[in-house]
Amino acid sequence: HMKIYLPDGDSAFYQGTRFDRSGMIASLEYEGHHYYAPWFDRIDPEVLDVKFDGEEIIVGVSSAATGPAEEFKTNGAALGWEEAEIGEPFVKIGVGVLRKDEEKYSFAKLYPIIDPGKWRVKKRRHAVEFIHNLKDSLTGYGYEYHKIVRLEKGKPRMIIEHRLRNSGRLPISTTVYNHNFLVLDQQTSGPDFTIDLAYPIATHDQSTDALAEIRGNQIIFKRPLQHDERVYLNLPGFSEKAKDYQIKIENPNVGAGVKIIGDRPLSASAFWSIRSVFSIEPFVSMNIKVEDEFTWSIIYDYYTLPSMGSKLR
């Protein structure tokens, strides 16, 4: 069972300018296990990214995403950012045409929207299709973006399919990553989780974090995260083949897991965590000529395990 937020303008759950506004997943439940949920206590427009106030987690508008949220980035910013002067437009795919109002780009900032583009949503019993059309004459960028989020009949599987067609007058060079905000049964980020990648993670030029470490192809929490503690690790070592885009996350204590498989090679990968949520962030790069298109898909397989917690009881 899955609940999806729609990009319904001012009434939409997600109002930020960081993440693609389509396919924001509110919740997914399988065999009594819950995989996605808000990982913060409240949203505050004055906060940039994440703030801790005692045990309360507060997020800014642009970081208030849930589930497998996706963000498009070009050179660490967005399409047309480097060329734009202060006050001029740039493009955030899946969001719209935004106004540059400072010299340095901030991923968590809420930027003024000049043109949100045109959204169409097609709802079916087991799937929702999102179509975003945008064309900006000032920047020269334009695209038609299709995204389908569907549940496969008869299987505990979610598939996210994408197609990005370049309809502008400039080539589109960008990366997209999935933040994969995992909140499995509201469990605290810690050693109860096992996190496996498909490749041995290179640890050169990276010191071991005091709260988590890399062992071969695994990320290991040393202890449960507390208060305002954070973990961030780069995950190099992957090949140029799509087979390395595989992630397995399990929690034997609650008896549930998920496997994530992409059909494109990785261009980067990272791990981020606070106590209420953690994320594996796989990146995919694309260079799309005018009138060409790029497709990619991600499969999520959900499953149960013998619960260690039930054995202890």
Side-chain angles (χ1 to χ4, degrees):
H1 300 280
M2 179 170 59
K3 178 180 178 181
I4 300 178
Y5 292 122
L6 303 181
D8 292 336
D10 292 342
S11 63
F13 169 80
Y14 183 72
Q15 294 289 330
T17 54
R18 174 184 179 183
F19 293 105
D20 168 13
R21 290 187 167 188
S22 65
M24 191 76 64
I25 297 173
S27 63
L28 185 144
E29 181 262 333
Y30 171 64
E31 292 289 331
H33 297 285
H34 298 267
Y35 287 82
Y36 311 121
W39 45 274
F40 44 86
D41 297 298
R42 62 183 173 94
I43 302 169
D44 185 343
E46 299 299 317
V47 170
L48 191 66
D49 199 20
V50 182
K51 176 184 176 181
F52 298 87
D53 185 2
E55 290 302 297
E56 189 177 38
I57 301 172
I58 310 166
V59 297
V61 175
S62 282
S63 292
T66 61
E70 297 178 288
E71 180 184 9
F72 291 84
K73 302 182 79 170
T74 298
N75 297 326
L79 290 173
W81 173 270
E82 294 178 351
E83 296 80 7
E85 301 292 338
I86 299 296
E88 293 182 342
F90 67 98
V91 172
K92 194 76 171 178
I93 297 172
V95 180
V97 182
L98 313 180
R99 179 176 290 112
K100 183 175 181 175
D101 58 5
E102 59 185 6
E103 285 294 341
K104 186 176 180 181
Y105 181 81
S106 171
F107 68 88
K109 180 180 170 63
L110 183 65
Y111 288 96
I113 299 178
I114 300 171
D115 177 8
K118 183 180 179 182
W119 284 103
R120 286 180 288 156
V121 177
K122 300 178 181 180
K123 292 178 278 187
R124 301 192 291 273
R125 178 172 173 80
H126 297 290
V128 181
E129 180 179 5
F130 304 87
I131 304 169
H132 192 218
N133 281 279
L134 183 141
K135 185 166 284 190
D136 182 61
S137 60
L138 290 177
T139 63
Y141 289 109
Y143 62 80
E144 183 173 270
Y145 176 43
H146 285 244
K147 181 175 182 177
I148 300 175
V149 182
R150 64 182 176 90
L151 298 178
E152 189 164 317
K153 189 175 180 180
K155 294 182 179 180
R157 170 178 287 178
M158 178 180 70
I159 303 174
I160 307 178
E161 301 167 317
H162 313 76
R163 176 164 59 87
L164 182 62
R165 185 178 71 84
N166 186 346
S167 62
R169 64 175 189 268
L170 294 176
I172 293 176
S173 179
T174 190
T175 62
V176 62
Y177 76 96
N178 199 311
H179 209 298
N180 288 310
F181 291 104
L182 184 69
V183 184
L184 177 54
D185 290 346
Q186 303 289 338
Q187 296 296 296
T188 298
S189 300
D192 284 346
F193 286 95
T194 62
I195 306 161
D196 293 79
L197 277 61
Y199 60 90
I201 306 164
T203 56
H204 57 275
D205 300 327
Q206 182 172 236
S207 60
T208 300
D209 192 282
L211 301 170
E213 66 180 4
I214 294 166
R215 297 180 193 168
N217 69 323
Q218 293 188 322
I219 301 164
I220 307 293
F221 284 103
K222 295 181 178 179
R223 60 170 176 79
L225 301 192
Q226 303 174 27
H227 309 300
D228 61 350
E229 292 176 333
R230 308 183 192 210
V231 172
Y232 186 84
L233 297 168
N234 287 310
L235 306 174
F238 48 83
S239 72
E240 296 180 354
K241 298 180 180 180
K243 67 178 180 63
D244 284 346
Y245 192 150
Q246 292 192 46
I247 304 152
K248 186 172 70 174
I249 303 167
E250 296 181 347
N251 188 319
N253 190 52
V254 298
V258 57
K259 188 173 184 179
I260 306 169
I261 305 170
D263 68 345
R264 291 284 186 173
L266 295 167
S267 60
S269 187
F271 176 77
W272 172 86
S273 182
I274 59 175
R275 56 185 160 85
S276 63
V277 62
F278 68 81
S279 305
I280 298 284
E281 304 171 4
F283 288 70
V284 169
S285 294
M286 61 194 80
N287 292 287
I288 313 173
K289 297 177 182 178
V290 175
E291 297 302 330
D292 279 358
E293 67 179 35
F294 184 87
T295 64
W296 70 104
S297 297
I298 312 171
I299 295 173
Y300 292 79
D301 283 323
Y302 304 93
Y303 53 92
T304 58
L305 301 162
S307 173
M308 290 176 61
S310 63
K311 290 180 180 179
L312 290 174
R313 289 193 295 271

